[in-house]
Amino acid sequence: MPIFGAMLPPPFERQMLEILGPDEYRAFLSALSEPPLVSIRYKITTSEQLYLQSDTVPWHPNGRYLPERPVFTLDPLFHAGAYYVQEASSMFLHEALKQTVDFSRQLKVLDLCAAPGGKSTLIADMLGPDSLLVANEVIRSRAGILRENMEKWGAPNIAVTSAEAEEFAALEGWFDVIITDAPCSGEGLFRKDADAIREWSPANVELCAIRQRRILAAAVEALKPGGVLVFSTCTYNRRENEENAAWLAQEYGLKPLKLKIPSDWGITEAESGGYHFFPHRVRGEGLFLAVFEKKEGELPRHQVQQGFKSIKSLAKSQVPEAARWLAENTDMRFFVTPSSEIIALPAALETEYLILDKHLKIKWFGTPIGEFKGTDFIPSHALALSSAVSPALPSIDLTREQALLFLKKETFDLPADLARGWTLARFNGLNLGWMKVLPNRMNNYLPPERRIRMDIRP
């Protein structure tokens, strides 16, 4: 059957007939022929009033279905990190973690296959300020967009890394929670992506299943005794899903955790204890998710190195000026990178960052907040978007037209009485970036790579 111009492979059709049966398979095909849904998940600090008219995603209180796909590039709130455009089924991670993890504790969480950042930003909203989130992407070209999305989300208690799964095995028993959204054959993307159909094959299914076991084995090594492992794919077949879930239980003694799910959500429980999302049953794309608990045991000890390998403490004389740009209730340690960039790390997590630094080669810690040019501090774009930025700093609320011009790095008129100096450009109360107000003009410090390049006229 053609789906948006691509024929479904006969082996895939036979597979789905076996999984669903003839009647459900026809409903499944009908769902694939419909346009994919558009959904967003807004940040917990964003005003809910912005999205009250949209249907709620059942398994995430901040998830919303949109009636149509807007041009997100032309929405200043998108650039301010007010929301993340995330497929609705993927938001189920929130419910799975809410039922199985105690978020009142200080936690160390690893999102092992994190790019472009949907699950990491979701987890960041659930964590307390003294918990640590490590968002990892092994492919360096994809780590860039992960960093950008985490920066836009603004959580200071993060690390972005680019490492093979096996590198985390050195952190034996260290993480309380590990999310493994494993690379898969992509059957759940067929409605959205014709290329996923053309690239599918039984051989690729087998290759993905083997690759997943390699990644999951490393994840189990890094998981703390008593910790929680979430394994998910965006595919339907048993080889990648049920068989690998059963392998985790048999090979490592992991205990599948059963979730309480309302029947009207349309989610299907698998024999392995995992959960299937089929597009004819739920308002979302294809997904499989299973949650496991590692058996209790002795906690390994990790020695803390004396200092970081490549960053050094900021000079004491410069700390007061750097701290002035952050909210008063933040307790940060300031460090300087070899490129003179200043980063802020939550003081409560310095030991955890030191342990990460010891074992991982490629990593970006905390929040880049700026750099000193002589005695002058130049704030970074990441600081503007960070939840740690001081609310007392000068700011100006822009109209939508002004906000789009700012995001396009074009000029517009400012109030004549606006104070000179560094000013946060804002829209609907959310920061967009920095401008420096000078006599008779304004310098726009939005990074060139973040600017809008398309026509902003209506």
Side-chain angles (χ1 to χ4, degrees), residues 1 63 79 100-101 103 150 197 211 222 250 265 278 336 338 354 386 398 402 438:
M1 175 180 175
H79 298 270
T100 57
V101 177
F103 283 94
M150 296 311 296
I197 301 175
R211 184 185 183 192
Q250 294 165 7
W265 286 5
F278 294 106
V336 184
L354 283 166
S386 174
L398 306 178
Q402 290 173 328
L438 304 170

Side-chain angles (χ1 to χ4, degrees), residues 3 13 197 294-295 386:
I3 304 294
E13 294 194 283
I197 301 175
K294 189 174 180 179
K295 61 184 177 182
S386 174

Side-chain angles (χ1 to χ4, degrees), residues 112-127:
L112 189 53
C113 310
K119 289 182 172 66
S120 288
T121 53
L122 181 152
I123 297 163
D125 274 351
M126 301 182 76
L127 291 175

Side-chain angles (χ1 to χ4, degrees), residues 149-403:
N149 283 327
M150 296 311 296
E151 179 181 293
K152 191 185 295 184
W153 211 248
N157 52 333
I158 65 165
V160 177
T161 62
S162 183
E164 294 281 355
E166 289 80 359
E167 294 182 57
F168 287 97
L171 289 159
E172 180 187 358
W174 198 64
F175 290 99
D176 300 279
V177 182
I178 297 181
I179 316 300
T180 306
D181 187 32
C184 68
S185 58
E187 297 164 356
L189 303 177
F190 281 6
R191 181 160 63 172
K192 299 174 64 176
D193 186 0
D195 287 339
I197 301 175
R198 287 186 281 268
E199 293 169 3
W200 186 92
S201 70
N204 192 39
V205 168
E206 182 63 23
L207 185 67
C208 289
I210 294 171
R211 184 185 183 192
Q212 288 164 12
R213 291 194 180 189
R214 176 181 64 80
I215 294 170
L216 288 167
V220 173
E221 285 292 314
L223 185 64
K224 181 182 294 185
V228 170
L229 171 68
V230 179
F231 164 49
S232 63
T233 72
C234 55
T235 200
Y236 306 112
N237 67 78
R238 296 188 178 109
R239 180 71 181 93
E240 295 178 73
N241 296 331
E242 282 91 339
E243 290 186 23
N244 277 349
W247 173 81
L248 277 171
Q250 294 165 7
E251 184 75 12
Y252 296 101
L254 299 190
K255 176 186 175 183
L257 297 181
K258 190 177 180 63
L259 306 177
K260 296 179 181 179
I261 300 175
S263 59
D264 59 357
W265 286 5
I267 299 168
T268 306
E269 185 172 357
E271 292 180 4
S272 63
Y275 299 88
H276 274 292
F277 288 64
F278 294 106
H280 65 292
R281 297 180 183 171
V282 303
R283 293 182 68 186
E285 303 306 317
L287 178 80
F288 174 83
L289 184 143
V291 189
F292 299 89
E293 183 180 68
K294 189 174 180 179
K295 61 184 177 182
E296 295 287 350
E298 186 177 349
L299 289 175
R301 295 178 62 87
H302 292 271
Q303 291 187 341
V304 181
Q305 61 189 18
Q306 291 300 309
F308 291 100
K309 294 176 183 176
S310 60
I311 61 174
K312 61 181 181 180
S313 296
L314 182 66
K316 289 184 178 181
S317 60
Q318 295 177 316
V319 167
E321 175 60 17
R324 182 179 72 82
W325 296 77
L326 302 185
E328 290 184 359
N329 60 348
T330 57
D331 185 7
M332 295 289 188
R333 300 284 189 270
F334 300 100
F335 297 87
V336 184
T337 70
S339 62
S340 300
E341 185 176 52
I342 300 166
I343 58 174
L345 304 183
L349 295 171
E350 187 172 356
T351 296
E352 283 74 14
Y353 282 113
L354 283 166
I355 291 173
L356 282 176
D357 188 55
K358 177 181 178 181
H359 293 287
L360 301 177
K361 296 177 183 177
I362 303 170
K363 61 267 176 177
W364 300 271
F365 291 164
T367 304
I369 64 167
E371 61 181 318
F372 279 98
K373 298 286 188 182
T375 58
D376 293 332
F377 182 80
I378 313 298
S380 71
H381 185 65
L383 175 61
L385 302 182
S386 174
S387 61
V389 69
S390 171
L393 293 170
S395 63
I396 178 173
D397 283 294
L398 306 178
T399 65
R400 181 181 179 84
E401 180 183 5
Q402 290 173 328

